[in-house]
Amino acid sequence: MEKILVVDDEEKKLMMLTRVLRNAGYEVIIGRSGEECIELAQKEKPDIILLDVVMPGIDGIETLKQLRSDKLIRDVYVVLSSGRRFSSEEQAVGLSAGAYDYIVQPIDSMDLLARIRVFLEHKKTLDALRETKELFQNVLNFAPNAGLLYEFPDGNIVYVNDEFQKISNYYRGELEGFPFNPALFFPNTGEFLSVTREVEKEGVARELEIIFMNRGGLQKDFLIVAKRLLLNGKPHVLCVLTDNSERKRARLELEEREELFKSLVENSMDLTILHDMAGTIQFVSRQCEEVIGYPPEYISKLPYADIVHPDDKTQFMDTMENVFGQGNSLHDYEYRIIDASGKIRWMAHSSRVVTVNGKIRGVLNTIRDASLRKEAMEKAQELVRLKDSFFANMSHELRTPLVGILGFSELLQQKTTDAELQSYSRVIHSSGTRLMETLNLILNQSRIDAGRLQPNFSMVNVVDLISHTCLSFEGAARKKKILLRWETALESVYCRTDVQMLRQVVNNLINNAIKFTDIGEVVVKLTVKMEAEKPKLCISVKDTGIGIAPEDLSLIWEEFRQVSEGFGRNFEGSGLGLSITQKFVRKLGGEIAVQSELGIGTVFTVCIPVEMSAESYELRSESERVYDSSRDNKKNARPLKILYIEDDQNAFNFAEILLKNICELDWAGSADEGLAKLSGNEYDSIFMDINLGSSSLDGVETTKKIRQMNKYHSIPIVAITAFAQESDKQEFLAAGCSHYISKPFAGSELKSLVYAIAEQLHLT
């Protein structure tokens, strides 16, 4: 039920209006003064107020003004009434104060009710418009973008939201109700007006990127969306402003990247081709003719696969299918093409699927002429082969005479009692040993550089390995009058590792320690520790030598470097020992550390993870033996009869003298002579040189022929050779040799081997 507040100081008019309205079904509230009108309006919230103009105290106009100043009731629908007609001036005053209409009393009841119905309909329309406006304003206020609404053609600003106030530094009261002046906000006013007039005229929404300026003159990039609206029957333009700085920056960055990409492509030595997933070429860079020998327009018109070499075409097509099927993975491949002149070129090709916003746009191909690189690689491979051949030959040619130098100097020390001759022989043996060590280091470095250094794991007793290595350095320690001490609480430790690498690591560290120690001792220690339930071998070599300065600690790992360098260096050596040691340790998966104090000494510690089981501590191995000099006088049940096939007589002479009281040693100077002697005689074992000089067969081929002879099918054959790399050893064992010793060999090593073969043949 609609609620009507009737305010009049004349009781007769008040009662008449009340009766008519109540009879028509309206709820009527009565007020007799302006003060009472305001109080009742605040309390009852009427739909319409019929307000008498002439009243004692606050008259109707003043009451209306106070109603309009109250936020809670300022939108109430007020109709002014009077006992006389309103002049034009009075109507203007009333309407400007906020009245919606007026009536003159007395009024016919039917006319009154008709007017009331019209007023109520008008009020509903106004309420709806007001709600729409409030909703519109709320939406604009809560929107993250700035909003400005103005009407045209008048051009007055109707509304600005909070965000617009913030970016402009103007208050709402300074803008709303005033003419819109674009020059306040847009330095390029003409551009703004051109767009908004088009919106006003044609009713289409338009976007505009423009500089916006606030009250303080600060300028910033904004994007404006202008749209025409119809509000309260009047045309308006709504301008929504979005900060465009980031978007513009991103666009400029994209343009810069595109320009950079274009510049890179155009200035690259590589050919760039972009094609869609159907294979249609969309872009070909200008390097086309230079790289593949065809102009861009030619390649754009035919399938690229047409120029691929027939022998490589299937592989090329299979690779391209993989590119299509595996997303944005990078695919690198090489193939040959036939250029326009018929010349074959090698191509290095990289392909990747290009996606933009998650959508596949095509395949980007980068193609480079790899012909020169291929030729260079082939030449490099040939150089590597020549280098390997050179080192192999050098190794053989140096090791073979070293058998005589080291062997006979060792025998001379043992046989002569002349002090001067013993001194000479020690110098010869020491110099030969130094040459041998340098040769081994250079060959190891060559293997490392060639990338052929790979561990060959086997089971070994590490306690025995280190013990034997220490034993070999006892003479060097005695010569310098220092103590070499070997400590471990373990009787044996069996584990899987590379025997040669581990032995070389221990050998290099002990050799270094003795070299740089003149007073005191060198202590070698072995422990096993558990880390994350996995065993690690820990080997430390501690000396009381000269020590290393902190600034030189990193230098010791570099190839061919020593702390003491130049013409005045104090110590001999190639500068490869520690560098190779570190690389060996890393190949075994371990770490090497150094602690040193200048003038006090140095400790090197190696920790290597190993495979080890509980049984490893109980197993015993006969694979490694130490020569025992007490066995020299022990006679075998029957002397071994051994044939030594060797083209170097010095090597045979040394072995013959060394084994004089241990076995019968026969000599064959060539493969043919050796095979002839084997056919006509019976032998227990064979010593086989591998490089037999001018013989028709080498040692490997000769071994294979011997294995084909029934009586020598399982005879022990010992490869005694200057080919000393691990790969050589494996090759000779695979060819049929049962044992291996590299030249030059120590007398004790050869004697131990002969005893081992005698035990194997049950001749002891």
Side-chain angles (χ1 to χ4, degrees):
M1 180 184 297
E2 288 88 349
K3 188 184 296 185
I4 299 175
L5 172 60
V6 180
V7 181
D8 203 313
D9 62 324
E10 294 185 23
E11 195 69 22
K12 183 178 179 182
K13 287 193 294 181
L14 189 62
M15 291 300 106
M16 184 274 294
L17 291 172
T18 301
R19 185 178 66 254
V20 172
L21 293 172
R22 282 178 175 166
N23 288 339
Y26 297 109
E27 180 182 350
V28 180
I29 305 165
I30 297 172
R32 292 177 174 81
S33 66
E35 292 85 354
E36 193 175 2
C37 172
I38 294 170
E39 183 180 344
L40 290 171
Q42 292 173 339
K43 179 181 178 182
E44 299 292 340
K45 305 292 189 301
D47 295 295
I48 295 177
I49 298 177
L50 294 179
L51 179 61
D52 187 20
V53 174
V54 181
M55 291 187 298
I58 301 175
D59 64 12
I61 298 299
E62 183 60 32
T63 301
L64 177 57
K65 289 179 180 179
Q66 291 192 28
L67 288 171
R68 293 294 180 234
S69 66
D70 190 326
K71 288 184 178 180
L72 296 177
I73 54 175
R74 64 184 178 186
D75 293 325
V76 68
Y77 197 95
V78 178
V79 177
L80 296 176
S81 69
S82 176
R84 59 179 180 82
R85 286 189 175 277
F86 289 91
S87 66
S88 298
E89 292 79 6
E90 289 174 330
Q91 289 182 27
V93 171
L95 292 174
S96 65
Y100 284 101
D101 208 339
Y102 60 90
I103 59 174
V104 178
Q105 297 189 58
I107 185 173
D108 180 74
S109 59
M110 297 297 292
D111 187 20
L112 173 63
L113 293 175
R115 297 283 297 275
I116 290 296
R117 284 193 293 271
V118 170
F119 295 154
L120 288 171
E121 287 299 323
H122 188 209
K123 177 185 180 300
K124 288 179 182 178
T125 302
L126 290 175
D127 288 346
L129 287 173
R130 191 177 296 111
E131 288 176 4
T132 302
K133 182 180 179 181
E134 288 177 358
L135 177 62
F136 175 74
Q137 291 176 346
N138 286 333
V139 169
L140 275 182
N141 272 332
F142 283 105
N145 304 323
L148 177 145
L149 180 70
Y150 70 90
E151 62 180 356
F152 68 90
D154 298 340
N156 290 333
I157 297 176
V158 175
Y159 178 73
V160 294
N161 68 355
D162 294 341
E163 187 64 24
F164 189 88
Q165 294 181 85
K166 187 186 300 181
I167 68 168
S168 68
N169 283 351
Y170 283 94
Y171 295 108
R172 182 175 285 119
E174 297 177 282
L175 299 174
E176 292 180 356
F178 294 94
F180 176 36
N181 181 9
L184 285 176
F185 309 109
F186 306 106
N188 193 345
T189 307
E191 186 178 7
F192 176 82
L193 290 175
S194 174
V195 170
T196 53
R197 282 169 183 166
E198 185 179 344
V199 172
E200 293 169 3
K201 182 179 179 181
E202 299 181 9
V204 294
R206 288 289 308 274
E207 285 188 0
L208 172 66
E209 289 187 352
I210 196 168
I211 299 293
F212 180 86
M213 181 174 65
N214 71 6
R215 177 180 239 155
L218 180 65
Q219 297 185 1
K220 202 170 186 181
D221 288 295
F222 271 84
L223 173 69
I224 294 180
V225 178
K227 183 176 178 60
R228 191 172 73 179
L229 302 174
L230 195 64
L231 297 175
N232 297 337
K234 291 184 178 182
H236 293 68
V237 172
L238 173 64
C239 296
V240 178
L241 294 83
T242 305
D243 189 333
N244 200 40
S245 304
E246 285 299 313
R247 178 180 170 186
K248 188 173 182 179
R249 184 186 60 77
R251 187 179 70 246
L252 290 174
E253 283 185 2
L254 180 60
E255 291 173 355
E256 287 177 4
R257 288 179 184 176
E258 289 175 350
E259 189 63 31
L260 177 61
F261 172 76
K262 183 178 178 182
S263 176
L264 288 173
V265 167
E266 292 301 322
N267 291 287
S268 170
M269 296 177 63
D270 299 341
L271 165 63
T272 301
I273 297 178
L274 179 66
H275 62 78
D276 61 21
M277 301 304 284
T280 303
I281 292 177
Q282 300 170 324
F283 172 80
V284 180
S285 68
R286 64 174 181 80
Q287 296 86 350
C288 187
E289 193 159 2
E290 183 181 344
V291 175
I292 63 176
Y294 291 92
E297 57 272 15
Y298 181 81
I299 289 297
S300 299
K301 294 177 182 177
L302 86 163
Y304 180 82
D306 285 2
I307 67 172
V308 176
H309 192 285
D311 294 344
D312 298 343
K313 189 169 291 189
T314 300
Q315 179 186 357
F316 175 81
M317 297 303 294
D318 290 344
T319 304
M320 289 307 297
E321 285 186 16
N322 289 335
V323 173
F324 294 151
Q326 295 183 17
N328 63 350
S329 299
L330 183 65
H331 294 260
D332 295 316
Y333 48 106
E334 293 186 347
Y335 56 88
R336 292 165 293 173
I337 66 164
I338 302 174
D339 67 16
S341 66
K343 180 183 176 182
I344 294 175
R345 301 190 192 190
W346 274 98
M347 296 291 116
H349 195 134
S350 297
S351 298
R352 170 175 276 166
V353 171
V354 178
T355 59
V356 179
N357 297 327
K359 184 180 292 185
I360 295 177
R361 296 295 301 271
V363 178
L364 182 66
N365 303 272
T366 304
I367 305 167
R368 174 175 294 182
D369 190 337
S371 304
L372 293 177
R373 181 171 59 80
K374 276 284 186 180
E375 292 174 11
M377 285 181 61
E378 290 172 0
K379 288 180 180 178
Q381 289 169 355
E382 177 65 13
L383 287 174
V384 169
R385 189 191 66 75
L386 291 173
K387 176 184 173 184
D388 290 347
S389 176
F390 168 75
F391 276 117
N393 291 334
M394 184 183 73
S395 172
H396 184 272
E397 292 306 312
L398 288 175
R399 286 176 184 275
T400 299
L402 280 172
V403 174
I405 294 171
L406 293 176
F408 282 107
S409 62
E410 183 182 357
L411 287 174
L412 191 57
Q413 291 179 62
Q414 295 172 2
K415 301 295 183 182
T416 186
T417 57
D418 187 299
E420 187 175 2
L421 288 178
Q422 280 192 344
S423 175
Y424 293 161
S425 63
R426 280 196 296 271
V427 171
I428 294 171
H429 193 274
S430 173
S431 299
T433 301
R434 179 182 167 192
L435 177 61
M436 187 70 227
E437 289 173 352
T438 302
L439 175 63
N440 286 335
L441 289 171
I442 292 173
L443 291 176
N444 282 331
Q445 186 63 42
S446 173
R447 290 167 60 203
I448 292 169
D449 291 342
R452 293 196 306 273
L453 181 67
Q454 296 300 329
N456 180 32
F457 291 98
S458 61
M459 191 66 72
V460 63
N461 183 351
V462 181
V463 174
D464 281 354
L465 184 149
I466 299 177
S467 178
H468 299 163
T469 306
C470 289
L471 185 62
S472 69
F473 281 98
E474 280 189 353
R478 276 196 304 271
K479 182 179 178 181
K480 294 193 73 173
K481 298 180 181 180
I482 60 175
L483 177 64
L484 174 60
R485 195 147 48 88
W486 155 229
E487 296 179 355
T488 184
L490 305 165
E491 279 191 29
S492 61
V493 177
Y494 287 85
C495 62
R496 287 182 59 79
T497 188
D498 186 296
V499 179
Q500 299 299 329
M501 285 190 188
L502 185 59
R503 180 182 286 118
Q504 190 68 56
V505 166
V506 177
N507 184 88
N508 289 352
L509 293 178
I510 297 175
N511 184 51
N512 247 34
I514 291 175
K515 181 195 299 186
F516 294 105
T517 302
D518 293 325
I519 300 173
E521 64 178 2
V522 173
V523 180
V524 182
K525 185 178 292 186
L526 169 68
T527 58
V528 175
K529 68 177 182 179
M530 302 297 291
E531 283 189 6
E533 300 183 357
K534 292 183 179 179
K536 273 192 174 184
L537 286 179
C538 290
I539 304 165
S540 67
V541 178
K542 180 180 180 181
D543 65 57
T544 56
I546 61 174
I548 307 168
E551 62 270 19
D552 293 326
L553 284 174
S554 60
L555 181 142
I556 64 174
W557 307 113
E558 296 180 24
E559 298 168 7
F560 306 107
R561 297 297 305 274
Q562 290 185 335
V563 174
S564 172
E565 295 180 327
F567 294 120
R569 68 177 184 158
N570 302 321
F571 297 93
E572 300 168 345
S574 63
L576 286 171
L578 287 176
S579 172
I580 290 173
T581 298
Q582 184 186 57
K583 289 169 183 173
F584 278 8
V585 171
R586 287 176 177 173
K587 279 289 182 181
L588 295 174
E591 298 173 347
I592 182 169
V594 59
Q595 292 179 305
S596 187
E597 190 173 347
L598 202 60
I600 302 298
T602 304
V603 181
F604 284 92
T605 304
V606 173
C607 288
I608 300 172
V610 291
E611 294 180 26
M612 190 183 297
S613 62
E615 293 79 8
S616 299
Y617 293 91
E618 301 172 6
L619 294 173
R620 288 290 177 182
S621 171
E622 299 298 325
S623 60
E624 296 210 42
R625 298 174 176 270
V626 181
Y627 165 63
D628 182 355
S629 60
S630 66
R631 301 175 67 176
D632 283 358
N633 299 319
K634 179 180 177 181
K635 300 292 184 180
N636 292 332
R638 173 178 69 76
L640 282 178
K641 190 173 183 181
I642 300 174
L643 175 63
Y644 191 175
I645 303 176
E646 167 68 76
D647 66 325
D648 181 20
Q649 189 168 356
N650 287 334
F652 169 74
N653 291 341
F654 171 57
E656 184 180 35
I657 296 171
L658 195 65
L659 303 175
K660 184 176 180 180
N661 299 321
I662 299 175
C663 66
E664 295 179 13
L665 194 64
D666 195 5
W667 178 48
S670 67
D672 294 335
E673 184 183 352
L675 291 172
K677 285 193 172 185
L678 286 168
S679 297
N681 298 280
E682 297 289 333
Y683 295 98
D684 299 306
S685 180
I686 300 168
F687 289 172
M688 179 67 68
D689 183 28
I690 299 300
N691 186 341
L692 293 173
S694 60
S695 294
S696 58
L697 301 174
D698 62 25
V700 172
E701 295 167 330
T702 305
T703 298
K704 290 179 179 178
K705 281 190 172 290
I706 294 172
R707 288 301 184 202
Q708 293 172 1
M709 302 168 70
N710 290 332
K711 61 180 178 178
Y712 297 124
H713 179 71
S714 58
I715 188 173
I717 300 178
V718 181
I720 302 180
T721 176
F723 296 113
Q725 298 193 43
E726 181 64 26
S727 58
D728 297 327
K729 175 182 176 181
Q730 298 305 321
E731 180 184 353
F732 305 149
L733 294 177
C737 295
S738 56
H739 301 75
Y740 169 90
I741 291 180
S742 65
K743 295 178 181 178
F745 48 81
S748 59
E749 186 179 10
L750 188 61
K751 288 180 180 181
S752 293
L753 180 61
V754 171
Y755 284 125
I757 292 173
E759 289 184 11
Q760 179 183 335
L761 298 176
H762 305 294
L763 296 178
T764 56

